[in-house]
Amino acid sequence: MFALSDSDLKKKFLGCGDGPAAFNSELSKLGGNVVSVDPLYGENGADISQRIDDIFTTVMNQIEQNKTEFCWSEISSPQELSKIRKHAMDMFLLDYDLGRKQSRYQFGALPKLCFTDNTFDLALVSHLLFLYSEHFDFDWHLQSITELLRIADEVRVFPLLELGSQPSRHVGPILDALADQNIDFEVRKVDYEFQKGGNEMLVLRN
Ligand SMILES: C[S@@+](CC[C@H](N)C(=O)[O-])C[C@H]1O[C@@H](n2cnc3c(N)ncnc32)[C@H](O)[C@@H]1O
């Protein structure tokens, strides 16, 4: 999703809106440096686990119903996706208590985060900005991007689609606003594509 190179993996990461995913757990085991923030991390592991159990089948059924919106090449079927997602969530849950003690999982919510300026080398945001374009307006997106650029030298956002695998309604206006503010950005193609057409990330630099 983020075209991370071996040298990128040595950086100090913020994962924003990481949810019950395995990036933090995997990178930490490899000796990497990563903090994840999410409003979900206000809850304890048992509650998050229950929440996953409650919604997992519904989410997988939605994917099955909207199967044509996704590319089934790397991942061959909704059943395989279900196994991959469950494995990632299990890795997250196994790591969560330790990670919380080590402050690798912290409660936080855009558009305002409690980190000092330039705390991180690289902030990654997957499946939050742009994806929920119907729920979060243009101002929320611009404030969130500005906040991420305050605390990280570089920000990468993936994908640039909203729900329904449509191009996000906010991408064009946000790129115009970034250009007006002379913010250094590029839209870069990546190898990963699961939502059809979702193979681009927005890269922003301080
Ligand atoms: C679809 S999930 C994406 C999880 C993970 N990034 C991934 O790609 O698998 C969206 C995540 O954004 C989190 N979230 C919702 N509102 C947020 C906010 N205002 N700031 C940060 N994260 C938020 C949710 O709790 C959820 O974990």
Side-chain angles (χ1 to χ4, degrees), residues 16-21 38-40 85 108-110 126-128 132 136 140:
C16 186
D18 267 357
D38 197 298
L40 187 68
R85 291 298 299 152
L110 289 170
S126 61
H127 304 105
L128 171 60
Y132 296 104
F136 294 118
W140 183 90

Side-chain angles (χ1 to χ4, degrees), residues 27-106:
L27 188 63
S28 300
K29 284 191 187 101
L30 293 171
N33 189 336
V34 54
V35 171
S36 299
V37 287
D38 197 298
L40 187 68
Y41 305 153
E43 297 182 26
N44 65 38
D47 287 348
I48 295 177
S49 180
Q50 183 62 54
R51 209 191 250 255
I52 290 171
D53 288 347
D54 291 346
I55 63 167
F56 189 72
T57 308
T58 309
V59 171
M60 290 314 303
N61 285 343
Q62 280 167 356
I63 290 189
E64 179 80 54
Q65 277 159 20
N66 300 306
K67 214 175 155 186
T68 53
E69 286 178 20
F70 303 95
C71 302
W72 300 103
S73 44
E74 290 280 317
I75 301 172
S76 62
S77 63
Q79 291 71 28
E80 191 188 350
L81 175 69
S82 168
K83 273 192 201 151
I84 292 170
R85 291 298 299 152
K86 260 222 158 7
H87 178 66
M89 291 189 287
D90 286 346
M91 284 178 70
F92 161 80
L93 287 169
L94 281 172
D95 183 51
Y96 185 62
D97 286 343
L98 176 66
R100 254 178 144 191
K101 282 188 198 122
Q102 295 175 338
S103 301
R104 286 189 286 110
Y105 298 108
Q106 298 186 27

Side-chain angles (χ1 to χ4, degrees), residues 56-197:
F56 189 72
T57 308
T58 309
V59 171
M60 290 314 303
N61 285 343
Q62 280 167 356
I63 290 189
E64 179 80 54
Q65 277 159 20
N66 300 306
K67 214 175 155 186
T68 53
E69 286 178 20
F70 303 95
C71 302
W72 300 103
S73 44
E74 290 280 317
I75 301 172
S76 62
S77 63
Q79 291 71 28
E80 191 188 350
L81 175 69
S82 168
K83 273 192 201 151
I84 292 170
R85 291 298 299 152
K86 260 222 158 7
H87 178 66
M89 291 189 287
D90 286 346
M91 284 178 70
F92 161 80
L93 287 169
L94 281 172
D95 183 51
Y96 185 62
D97 286 343
L98 176 66
R100 254 178 144 191
K101 282 188 198 122
Q102 295 175 338
S103 301
R104 286 189 286 110
Y105 298 108
Q106 298 186 27
F107 172 84
L110 289 170
K112 191 87 199 100
L113 298 173
C114 297
F115 298 102
T116 52
D117 295 358
N118 307 111
T119 301
F120 301 98
D121 299 320
L122 187 45
L124 304 178
V125 190
S126 61
H127 304 105
L128 171 60
L129 288 173
F130 299 127
L131 188 67
Y132 296 104
S133 288
E134 199 184 326
H135 310 83
F136 294 118
D137 65 9
F138 166 87
D139 288 339
W140 183 90
H141 277 77
L142 191 57
Q143 283 167 25
S144 295
I145 287 172
T146 306
E147 177 69 348
L148 289 161
L149 280 170
R150 180 185 70 74
I151 60 179
D153 293 341
E154 183 178 325
V155 178
R156 299 186 192 182
V157 181
F158 176 92
L160 307 188
L161 301 180
E162 59 181 68
L163 291 175
S165 296
Q166 300 297 315
S168 161
R169 64 197 79 180
H170 297 312
V171 169
I174 286 288
L175 298 189
D176 289 345
L178 296 171
D180 285 348
Q181 294 180 28
N182 287 320
I183 291 172
D184 180 6
F185 73 87
E186 65 173 306
V187 173
R188 204 190 296 167
K189 202 159 181 248
V190 295
D191 288 339
Y192 181 88
E193 182 177 358
F194 181 55
Q195 276 177 293
K196 280 182 188 163

